[in-house]
Amino acid sequence: MMNNKIEKKLSSRDIKPTAMRILVLQFLMEQEKTVSLHSIEDAFEMADKSTIYRTLKTFEKNKLVHTIDDGTKQLKYALCLESCQCEAIDLHYHFHCSSCQSTYCLTNHNIPKIDLPKNFQMHQANMVIKGLCAECHK
């Protein structure tokens, strides 16, 4: 049943469901916070690293995941929301915990529209709030 849901999610973004893509998507769906390439590679230590990287690049290109630069020098990956087209309207804040180093998508808090100068075109915006997550703030 789970594979069918995953295959549908891949197909909805025009991604051919291969075994590795299904496994990586399932892994990402199980995460409550963003994950680094290194963490994904560790989860699939027997898999070819370049296959994992290409899988993530395909997911990103087809707007299934987005990347976050949280200042840790390791790009993090998170699933896009179902309706996300990775346009300016879909951009949201991210929260990076300075204690446990976890980064979370704050999908209920969109980045406000930014009026750019004439003939400027935004491709990406990254808003990271740093502090202590609920777990570390106890």
Side-chain angles (χ1 to χ4, degrees), residues 26-70:
Q26 182 174 358
F27 176 79
L28 290 170
M29 290 171 71
E30 293 167 354
Q31 306 308 304
E32 293 182 15
K33 55 191 174 197
T34 65
V35 288
S36 67
L37 174 61
H38 185 73
S39 297
I40 298 167
E41 288 172 348
D42 284 352
F44 300 102
E45 57 188 44
M46 299 303 283
D48 179 53
K49 290 180 190 229
S50 62
T51 302
I52 294 170
Y53 181 76
R54 283 193 314 271
T55 296
L56 291 168
K57 283 293 161 202
T58 299
F59 286 3
E60 186 179 9
K61 184 176 135 243
N62 291 48
K63 300 175 181 173
L64 185 59
V65 299
H66 62 276
T67 56
I68 301 102
D69 177 357
D70 60 9

Side-chain angles (χ1 to χ4, degrees), residues 60-114:
E60 186 179 9
K61 184 176 135 243
N62 291 48
K63 300 175 181 173
L64 185 59
V65 299
H66 62 276
T67 56
I68 301 102
D69 177 357
D70 60 9
T72 61
K73 296 187 175 124
Q74 275 196 0
L75 216 52
K76 304 282 175 52
Y77 294 87
L79 281 178
C80 291
L81 296 176
E82 210 63 49
S83 61
C84 180
Q85 291 301 313
C86 294
E87 303 292 338
I89 196 168
D90 298 314
L91 297 176
H92 54 266
Y93 293 101
H94 295 93
F95 185 91
H96 179 74
C97 180
S98 52
S99 180
C100 69
Q101 301 299 307
S102 295
T103 301
Y104 301 87
C105 290
L106 304 179
T107 54
N108 292 334
H109 303 282
N110 287 60
I111 295 174
K113 183 181 179 302
I114 299 166

Side-chain angles (χ1 to χ4, degrees), residues 116-121:
L116 295 172
K118 186 178 178 174
N119 295 325
F120 281 57
Q121 182 182 18

